[in-house]
């Protein structure tokens, strides 16, 4: 049975079983598509079912591959299948729509399939030079025209057409105009073999994103989050009202991409908007990259504690990225007495704009005192009588788009139930275990020589020299046997060719120093080397956290053991999810290395160099 085969492949790709609703959609929607193809005389066309979009965990329901009847060239039709019997555009926002089975607005399927087509043209070499080869259609095979009236208000195009069951004949003609009744295997092979373009890493395109035009294609719930914010902005301007929006998702779900897309569009519209984070590294990097030639762009990037004296509703929008790093209050030992208050930081941020937007991952809290959570924000909004809309992201864009890898990391660190499991290669993410740190570094150097970016990071288990004598090299603080390397620079100025702390993850000269969670969090690179220090070791059948092995000054004597335990696991989750293409893991502990080697069956690293 087809649905059983799809279920087996889904488990392999994602590390968990598909939901019952997804299995039902396969059982009901795929036969409907097959029936249309047979009636159209296109039974020889190749169907790529649940086609994975490059470098993401997103999947198109079906891509039809064949030969164009007029040009004789490969031709592709992306088909999004919906079981909906009715759907209506969201009030004053046709890009979103309301469906009875969902409590919140979802992306209009016309825009959904159009986004898939645009994304494939951007990332698949078989289409990059031939954008006219692809078309897209949403087929709502249970719907009448009356049931979906209004969805076409979003505007149809070659890459985004809408068909109900009532317009089955029009759908058949649409397919016949783009696909010949011949075998499509060769065209399918060409698409599958298409060279995948490198991921558009966040910092590499930040300047264009903010100053010029959108560089990223937002998909599905990413687009829903974006449109939800823009709709709130319009309503705030028209009706003099406030609304809080929360966007939540794990690492690599595209939160920062959404933040930049919003900031860029608001900036171009002339609205007052600010990007804020609790990360010095992220903010300084954005100022350098996105605001390299424009001071006014640099000024768009602030810290969470910059709004203690802000005028209420002075901004149209404040985009709070990495909101899990919010603190209880903005006051610290450097705050002037006149500005000190006990006002919660989340309240300051809400008060600062008509539309405060919070993007967060509740599993990336790595320091005591960080308290950004959906509940905290909802409670603060409720206390002020403000509506709070939450959009959840669940698709993976980091780690090669590998849901299976992210799930493997969560279970490895006991952050999800089930315990560690054997890594099953999924073709998206490479996972390797090194026997020595030198072996790890050699492999990463080999990857760098091939044009990839790479960094080595570690748990905070070695003291960090804060000062370096003028003219002296960085001290080799991280010592493992005869392998010695410095931490990344402490401070805002480069040392001996090494970049300042905030630029370690993005400046190529950052390779050669070891980064920690505070310089790696929020960034990504092609290949990630992770040193698991003696603060987290495997003993018997479980992990043991040794807080005494941690040199993190954020952990005070008053920090409970339970908090330290969770924060250290969160730290390694962050470090293990920075890589876009591969992760190499090394543990300083022999028993832990043995456990990791049992979980990861991979070729010896020396053979790969």
């Amino acid at each position: 049975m087809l649905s059983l085969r799809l279920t087996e492949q889904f488990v392999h790709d994602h590390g968990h079983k598909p939901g019952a609703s997804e299995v039902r959609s396969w059982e009901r929607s795929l036969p409907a598509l097959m029936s249309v193809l047979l009636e159209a005389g296109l039974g020889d066309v190749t169907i790529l079912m649940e086609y994975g979009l490059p470098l993401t965990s997103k999947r198109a329901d079906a891509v039809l591959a064949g030969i164009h009847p007029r040009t004789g060239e490969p031709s592709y039709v992306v088909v999004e299948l919906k079981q909906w019997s009715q759907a209506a555009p969201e009030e004053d926002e046709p890009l979103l729509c309301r469906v009875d089975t969902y409590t919140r607005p979802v992306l209009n399927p016309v825009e959904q399939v159009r986004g898939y087509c645009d994304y494939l043209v951007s990332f698949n070499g078989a289409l990059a030079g031939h954008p006219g080869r692809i078309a897209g259609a949403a087929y709502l095979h249970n719907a009448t025209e009356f049931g979906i009236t209004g969805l076409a208000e979003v505007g149809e195009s070659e890459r985004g057409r809408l068909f109900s069951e009532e317009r089955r004949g029009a759908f058949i003609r649409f397919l016949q105009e783009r696909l010949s009744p011949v075998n499509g295997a060769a065209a399918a092979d060409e698409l599958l073999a298409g060279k995948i373009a490198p991921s558009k890493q966040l910092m590499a395109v930040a300047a264009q994103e903010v100053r010029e035009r959108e560089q990223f294609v937002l998909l599905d719930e990413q687009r829903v989050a974006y449109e939800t914010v823009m709709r709130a902005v319009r309503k705030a301007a028209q009706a003099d009202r406030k609304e809080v929006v929360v966007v939540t998702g794990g690492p690599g779900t595209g939160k920062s991409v959404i933040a930049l897309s919003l900031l860029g569009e608001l900036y171009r519209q002339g609205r007052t908007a600010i990007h804020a984070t609790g990360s010095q590294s992220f903010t300084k990097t954005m100022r350098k990259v996105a605001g390299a030639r424009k001071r006014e762009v640099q000024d768009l990037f602030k810290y969470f504690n910059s709004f203690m004296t802000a005028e209420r509703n002075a901004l149209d929008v404040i985009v709070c990225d990495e909101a899990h790093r919010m603190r209880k209050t903005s006051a610290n030992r450097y705050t002037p007495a006149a500005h000190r208050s006990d006002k919660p930081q989340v309240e300051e941020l809400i008060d600062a704009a008509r539309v405060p937007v919070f993007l967060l991952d509740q599993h990336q809290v790595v320091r005591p005192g960080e308290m950004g959570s959906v509940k905290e924000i909802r409670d603060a909004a409720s206390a002020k009588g403000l509506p709070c809309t939450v959009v959840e992201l669940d698709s993976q864009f980091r780690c090669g788009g590998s849901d299976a890898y992210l799930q493997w990391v969560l279970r490895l660190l006991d952050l999800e139930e089930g315990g560690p499991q054997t890594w099953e290669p999924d073709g998206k993410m490479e996972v390797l275990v090194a026997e020595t740190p030198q072996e790890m570094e050699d492999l990463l150097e080999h990857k760098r020589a091939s044009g990839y970016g790479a960094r080595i990071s570690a748990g905070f288990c070695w003291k960090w020299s804060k000062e370096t004598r003028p003219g002296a090299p960085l001290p080799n603080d991280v010592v493992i046997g005869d392998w010695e390397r410095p931490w990344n620079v402490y401070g805002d100025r480069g040392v001996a060719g090494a970049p300042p702390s905030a630029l370690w993850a993005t400046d190529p000269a950052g390779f050669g120093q070891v980064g920690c969670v505070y310089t790696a969090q929020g960034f990504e690179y092609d290949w990630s080397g992770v040193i698991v220090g003696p603060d987290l070791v495997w003993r018997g059948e479980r992990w043991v956290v040794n807080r005494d092995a941690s040199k993190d000054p954020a952990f005070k004597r008053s920090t409970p053991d339970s908090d330290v335990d969770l924060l250290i696991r969160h730290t390694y989750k962050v470090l293990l999810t920075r890589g876009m293409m591969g992760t190499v893991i090394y543990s300083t502990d022999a028993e832990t290395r043995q456990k990791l080697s049992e979980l990861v069956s991979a070729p010896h690293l020396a053979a790969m160099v």
Side-chain angles (χ1 to χ4, degrees):
M1 189 175 179
L2 184 57
S3 62
L4 291 179
R5 292 189 62 184
L6 288 172
T7 298
E8 291 174 359
Q9 188 62 41
F10 185 99
V11 172
H12 178 268
D13 290 345
H14 301 278
H16 59 89
K17 291 183 179 180
S21 60
E22 186 151 27
V23 174
R24 283 196 301 272
S25 72
W26 294 335
E27 293 172 344
R28 298 169 185 174
S29 294
L30 291 177
L33 177 61
M34 296 293 291
S35 175
V36 166
L37 290 174
L38 291 174
E39 189 174 336
L42 298 174
D44 287 334
V45 165
T46 297
I47 309 175
L48 302 174
M49 293 178 293
E50 295 295 319
Y51 177 82
L53 302 186
L55 303 173
T56 88
S57 62
K58 279 291 175 191
R59 294 166 286 125
D61 288 339
V63 176
L64 309 180
I67 303 300
H68 198 284
R70 292 195 307 276
T71 67
E73 294 185 351
S75 182
Y76 307 97
V77 179
V78 181
V79 181
E80 186 62 25
L81 300 165
K82 301 294 186 189
Q83 299 182 72
W84 309 343
S85 57
Q86 60 181 29
E90 176 73 336
E91 178 188 356
D92 71 24
E93 185 45 84
L95 283 168
L96 304 178
C97 62
R98 289 277 180 179
V99 183
D100 289 343
T101 51
Y102 301 103
T103 57
R104 298 204 177 277
V106 295
L107 190 62
N108 187 313
V110 178
E111 194 63 23
Q112 181 181 7
V113 75
R114 184 154 42 216
Y116 288 175
C117 292
D118 292 346
Y119 189 90
L120 283 171
V121 170
S122 295
F123 285 94
N124 190 300
L127 296 168
H130 309 280
R133 289 181 174 181
I134 194 166
Y139 180 37
L140 281 64
H141 54 86
N142 287 334
T144 62
E145 284 297 287
F146 180 77
I148 58 172
T149 183
L151 290 191
E153 288 178 17
V154 74
E156 294 184 87
S157 64
E158 179 68 8
R159 295 181 184 175
R161 295 286 296 275
L162 178 68
F163 299 99
S164 65
E165 180 59 19
E166 200 172 329
R167 295 186 62 230
R168 178 188 181 93
F171 184 36
I172 288 173
R173 289 191 296 276
F174 174 83
L175 297 176
Q176 290 172 331
E177 289 170 0
R178 290 156 183 82
L179 297 165
S180 299
V182 298
N183 190 290
D189 288 344
E190 185 173 337
L191 185 69
L192 293 171
K195 184 178 180 180
I196 304 304
S199 170
K200 290 189 176 182
Q201 294 188 16
L202 193 63
M203 300 305 166
V205 294
Q208 295 94 322
E209 178 63 44
V210 175
R211 289 201 300 264
E212 299 168 17
R213 60 185 177 81
E214 186 172 323
Q215 301 292 305
F216 295 97
V217 178
L218 301 180
L219 300 177
D220 295 0
E221 67 269 20
Q222 289 182 326
R223 189 66 183 272
V224 170
Y226 175 91
E227 297 298 341
T228 298
V229 173
M230 295 306 296
R231 179 170 175 242
V233 172
R234 289 192 294 273
K235 284 192 171 184
Q238 295 164 3
D240 192 27
R241 65 192 290 272
K242 281 176 71 94
E243 180 178 347
V244 178
V245 180
V246 180
V247 181
T248 179
T253 49
K255 298 182 295 298
S256 293
V257 169
I258 295 167
L260 279 185
S261 295
L262 286 168
L263 193 68
E265 180 59 26
L266 293 165
Y267 178 62
R268 291 186 290 272
Q269 289 185 8
R271 299 188 186 274
T272 56
I274 290 291
H275 180 284
T277 78
S279 166
Q280 185 181 71
S281 294
F282 195 86
T283 300
K284 287 186 175 181
T285 301
M286 291 309 304
R287 286 175 177 171
K288 179 180 175 63
V289 177
R293 296 185 301 274
K294 261 194 176 182
R295 177 57 189 267
E296 63 182 299
V297 177
Q298 292 181 22
D299 290 342
L300 298 179
F301 299 95
K302 307 282 188 186
Y303 298 108
F304 289 153
N305 62 1
S306 302
F307 301 90
M308 297 178 69
T309 59
E311 182 182 342
R312 187 180 295 269
N313 296 330
L315 300 169
D316 291 322
V317 182
I318 181 169
V319 180
C320 303
D321 202 357
E322 303 246 310
H324 44 268
R325 302 196 67 175
M326 285 191 298
R327 316 290 291 187
K328 184 176 181 180
T329 73
S330 294
N332 58 43
R333 58 180 175 168
Y334 303 110
T335 305
H339 295 162
R340 288 181 180 272
S341 78
D342 293 329
K343 186 176 182 178
Q345 193 170 75
V346 65
E347 285 192 31
E348 291 175 355
L349 295 169
I350 289 175
D351 287 347
R354 291 192 179 279
V355 181
V357 181
F358 297 89
L359 302 106
L360 60 92
D361 174 3
Q362 297 179 106
H363 293 303
Q364 281 202 52
V365 173
V366 297
R367 267 185 171 174
E370 293 179 343
M371 56 188 306
S373 69
V374 175
K375 183 179 185 304
E376 292 278 351
I377 299 166
R378 269 185 166 149
D379 288 349
S382 178
K384 294 176 177 292
L386 301 175
C388 180
T389 301
V390 179
V391 181
E392 296 183 1
L393 308 175
D394 58 10
S395 297
Q396 175 64 228
F397 288 77
R398 190 172 286 150
C399 307
S402 175
D403 271 339
Y405 176 71
L406 182 58
Q407 186 75 14
W408 182 81
V409 169
L410 292 174
R411 288 187 54 174
L412 172 71
L413 298 172
D414 279 338
L415 292 173
E416 281 200 3
E417 293 183 359
Q421 59 185 348
T422 301
W423 167 246
E424 297 288 344
D426 65 349
K428 295 182 178 182
M429 188 71 178
E430 285 192 62
V431 185
L432 303 165
V433 175
E435 284 299 315
T436 67
Q438 186 63 56
E439 190 177 61
M440 167 190 286
E441 189 174 50
D442 289 345
L443 176 70
L444 296 180
E445 278 283 20
H446 177 69
K447 295 296 182 183
R448 276 166 43 84
S450 300
Y452 298 107
R455 293 293 184 277
I456 294 176
S457 60
F460 208 144
C461 298
W462 294 266
K463 289 184 178 180
W464 192 347
S465 299
K466 295 184 178 182
E467 296 183 5
T468 304
R469 296 192 314 276
L474 287 172
N476 288 327
D477 289 327
V478 182
V479 179
I480 304 171
D482 58 1
W483 187 86
E484 301 180 0
R485 295 294 180 272
W487 282 116
N488 58 257
V489 173
Y490 187 95
D492 299 336
R493 305 182 71 175
V495 176
S501 174
L503 303 182
W504 169 83
T506 52
D507 189 319
F511 191 82
Q513 309 109 51
V514 179
C516 74
V517 68
Y518 304 122
T519 44
Q521 192 171 29
F523 298 97
E524 58 191 31
Y525 19 87
D526 296 325
W527 277 84
S528 172
V530 179
I531 298 173
V532 181
D535 57 346
L536 184 67
V537 297
W538 184 265
R539 292 292 180 264
E541 297 296 322
R542 66 185 185 90
W543 289 107
V544 174
V545 169
N546 177 11
R547 68 177 291 163
D548 294 334
S550 176
K551 303 296 189 262
D552 193 334
F555 297 158
K556 309 297 184 185
R557 288 185 178 180
S558 59
T559 309
D561 286 349
S562 58
D563 288 0
V564 172
D565 184 293
L566 184 60
L567 292 172
I568 286 176
R569 292 170 195 259
H570 279 183
T571 291
Y572 285 110
K573 182 217 174 182
V574 170
L575 298 182
L576 288 166
T577 53
R578 299 304 94 191
M580 290 293 296
M581 304 180 71
T583 300
V584 186
I585 312 171
Y586 168 77
S587 171
T588 58
D589 176 73
E591 186 174 337
T592 306
R593 283 199 305 278
Q594 177 62 33
K595 178 62 177 179
L596 291 169
S597 296
E598 291 171 3
L599 296 173
V600 180
S601 298
H604 195 277
L605 267 63
M608 302 179 66
V609 177

